[in-house]
């Protein structure tokens, strides 16, 4: 009987989730992205499979309506293969206002051929000139890209990817305490 109870206890413990939650992620034909929060800092790792010269791609955050009122992180590639990271805002459709100073920190950038890999961090709470916060659930949008001409971001081409109701604060690598009480009498 004790052996049976011991085996049941082991099986029960093996079905309990890990003490660490997994990193959240999304993937489509052109991009891969994952993110997590640690110490109230949101870290985003973003990959674009085909970012050619004089092109841009972005991640936008907000609940619109549509493409209006969105915060964005914009990655652009110059004709000299330089990668620039900007933050900005879309006050209305087809218009992006780029911030004077980007409020994300670039941790690393790698360009291999046309494949871009970049990791950025930003506070989970209010940040930037509009004090935009990602501590609540909002839509995230991946914009695959558009052209850059004379330093201006032109209209995006291709399909945009909506990720509905992302709750970034739930994507954490912080250790969580779990209390278990199994009394067998």
């Amino acid at each position: 009987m004790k052996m049976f109870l011991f085996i049941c206890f082991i099986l029960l413990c093996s079905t309990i989730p890990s003490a660490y939650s997994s990193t959240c992620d999304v993937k489509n034909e052109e991009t891969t992205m994952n993110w997590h929060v640690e110490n109230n800092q949101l870290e985003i790792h973003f990959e674009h499979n085909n970012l050619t010269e004089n092109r841009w791609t972005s991640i936008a955050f907000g609940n619109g309506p549509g493409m209006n009122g969105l915060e964005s992180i914009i990655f652009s590639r110059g004709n000299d293969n330089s990668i620039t990271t900007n933050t900005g805002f879309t006050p209305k459709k087809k218009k992006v206002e780029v911030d004077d100073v980007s409020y994300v920190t670039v941790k690393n950038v790698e360009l291999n051929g046309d494949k871009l890999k970049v990791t950025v961090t930003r506070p989970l709470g209010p940040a930037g000139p509009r004090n935009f916060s990602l501590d609540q659930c909002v839509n995230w949008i991946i914009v695959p890209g558009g052209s850059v001409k004379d330093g201006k971001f032109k209209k995006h081409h291709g399909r945009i990817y909506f990720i509905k109701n992302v709750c970034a604060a739930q994507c954490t690598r912080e250790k969580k305490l779990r209390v278990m009480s199994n009394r067998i009498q």
Side-chain angles (χ1 to χ4, degrees):
M1 182 67 167
K2 286 185 181 183
M3 181 58 91
F4 173 76
L5 293 174
F6 178 73
I7 291 171
C8 288
F9 178 75
I10 296 298
L11 289 173
L12 175 66
C13 289
S14 68
T15 62
I16 296 173
S18 165
Y20 295 90
S21 64
S22 63
T23 300
C24 297
D25 60 3
V26 66
K27 183 175 184 173
N28 58 48
E29 301 84 37
E30 249 182 315
T31 61
T32 302
M33 180 172 59
N34 61 64
W35 59 92
H36 72 272
V37 175
E38 191 168 353
N39 299 322
N40 286 319
Q41 287 289 312
L42 173 63
E43 180 174 291
I44 302 171
H45 177 75
F46 180 78
E47 296 181 16
H48 192 289
N49 295 327
N50 191 27
L51 189 65
T52 56
E53 293 177 348
N54 296 312
R55 303 280 298 166
W56 64 269
T57 184
S58 74
I59 310 162
F61 313 93
N63 293 326
M67 297 295 287
N68 299 324
L70 304 177
E71 287 289 315
S72 61
I73 303 172
I74 307 159
F75 308 105
S76 58
R77 179 178 177 179
N79 61 2
D80 60 354
N81 290 327
S82 62
I83 301 297
T84 305
T85 302
N86 297 96
T87 55
F89 179 69
T90 59
K92 60 184 180 178
K93 191 174 182 174
K94 298 182 183 181
K95 181 166 175 54
V96 175
E97 292 180 4
V98 177
D99 297 332
D100 293 334
V101 176
S102 177
Y103 63 89
V104 297
T105 301
V106 178
K107 287 184 74 174
N108 61 41
V109 175
E110 181 183 326
L111 184 63
N112 187 0
D114 291 338
K115 184 167 186 161
L116 169 69
K117 293 181 182 181
V118 61
T119 302
V120 295
T121 61
R122 60 151 283 163
L124 180 62
R130 292 159 298 280
N131 287 317
F132 185 77
S133 179
L134 287 170
D135 62 355
Q136 300 296 313
C137 304
V138 297
N139 296 331
W140 289 22
I141 301 166
I142 299 174
V143 182
S147 62
V148 178
K149 187 171 181 181
D150 300 324
K152 303 281 186 201
F153 301 114
K154 299 299 180 182
K155 184 179 183 328
H156 69 82
H157 304 284
R159 181 175 161 224
I160 58 175
Y161 300 92
F162 283 89
I163 311 158
K164 297 280 187 182
N165 208 28
V166 175
C167 305
Q170 294 177 4
C171 301
T172 157
R173 288 188 176 172
E174 296 172 6
K175 189 173 183 179
K176 295 179 182 176
L177 295 176
R178 195 173 295 258
V179 177
M180 274 186 12
S181 175
N182 289 323
R183 290 192 179 173
I184 301 173
Q185 296 186 16

